[in-house]
Amino acid sequence: MEVKKTDNNKSKLIIIAVLLVALIAGVFFLVKTHGNPDVNDQPAAEAEDDVLKGDPLETPAGELIIPEAWSDYVETEDTSADGGYSKSFYMTVGGKKVLLYELIMGENGNGYELGSVPDKDGGRTKVWLNINVIDKDESWSDDEYEEVNTIQSGVNELIDQIYQMDGFRKPEE
C-alpha cells in the first residue's frame, strides 16, 4: 500500500507543479502585455493620429480638424450671423438634409455652453454646441438611423479638440 500512496502523492505534485508553471506563465504574459507602457500607449497614439487626420476648420479660436472618416458623410455650412461664428454640420439621409449639430463661438450662442477659449485677437470667446436628439424619419432604415446617430456622436472628437485648446476654461457657474 505504501507504493500506491507514493504514486498518488507524485501525481498530485506533478499536477500542482504544472498548475504553478501555468499560473506563472499567465502572470508573466499579463505583465508583458499590459504592464509595458510601450504596448499600452501604441494603440492610443494610433487612434489619436486617426482623429487628427482630416480637413481643417478655421474658427475664431484657431483650427479644429474635421475627422477624415466623416468626409463622405458630413458637410458643413457657414451659418454665422450678427458678427458671431457658427458652423452647422449636416448629413444627407434618404435625400433629406439632416442637421447633426451646430458649433457656435461668441457671446450669443445657444445650446450647451462648453466653455470659453482665447480668440485670435487675445480676447475670450464662448463656445457653444447646439445639438438635439435626431428622431428617426419613417423613410429611413434601421441601418440609416444608426449611421446618423454614429456620425452625430462623432461631435465628441471636436469637443475633445476644443477642451485641448490652450487657455480653454469651463463655463462660469
Side-chain angles (χ1 to χ4, degrees):
M1 271 186 122
E2 288 275 333
V3 173
K4 285 187 179 180
K5 229 179 197 183
T6 306
D7 287 341
N8 279 342
N9 288 340
K10 282 183 182 178
S11 295
K12 287 180 183 177
L13 284 174
I14 290 172
I15 291 172
I16 291 172
V18 168
L19 289 174
L20 189 58
V21 168
L23 179 64
I24 291 170
V27 169
F28 178 76
F29 175 77
L30 288 173
V31 168
K32 187 73 173 164
T33 59
H34 295 306
N36 185 343
D38 294 334
V39 173
N40 283 342
D41 290 344
Q42 190 173 0
E46 288 174 5
E48 186 175 329
D49 287 344
D50 289 346
V51 169
L52 298 178
K53 291 179 184 175
D55 297 325
L57 176 65
E58 288 299 325
T59 74
E63 185 178 271
L64 299 173
I65 302 296
I66 299 173
E68 189 173 51
W70 299 358
S71 62
D72 292 338
Y73 303 99
V74 177
E75 70 178 80
T76 60
E77 186 177 305
D78 186 357
T79 51
S80 301
D82 300 327
Y85 171 89
S86 179
K87 284 284 185 188
S88 295
F89 293 76
Y90 293 94
M91 179 176 178
T92 302
V93 183
K96 182 179 177 182
K97 194 172 175 179
V98 179
L99 176 65
L100 299 170
Y101 50 86
E102 186 177 31
L103 178 66
I104 305 160
M105 292 187 178
E107 289 300 314
N108 300 320
N110 60 347
Y112 301 99
E113 183 180 353
L114 299 175
S116 65
V117 291
D119 62 21
K120 292 178 182 176
D121 298 326
R124 294 209 64 80
T125 187
K126 290 183 179 180
V127 182
W128 305 82
L129 180 67
N130 184 10
I131 187 168
N132 294 300
V133 173
I134 298 173
D135 294 324
K136 182 179 177 187
D137 187 282
E138 55 190 49
S139 67
W140 298 346
S141 69
D142 289 341
D143 288 343
E144 288 173 320
Y145 184 59
E146 184 178 325
E147 185 176 50
V148 167
N149 284 299
T150 299
I151 295 296
Q152 185 187 44
S153 70
V155 71
N156 292 316
E157 294 176 17
L158 287 179
I159 292 170
D160 187 51
Q161 290 179 55
I162 292 166
Y163 288 166
Q164 299 303 316
M165 288 181 151
D166 286 338
F168 173 80
R169 289 187 201 152
K170 293 181 180 181
E172 295 176 14
E173 296 184 24

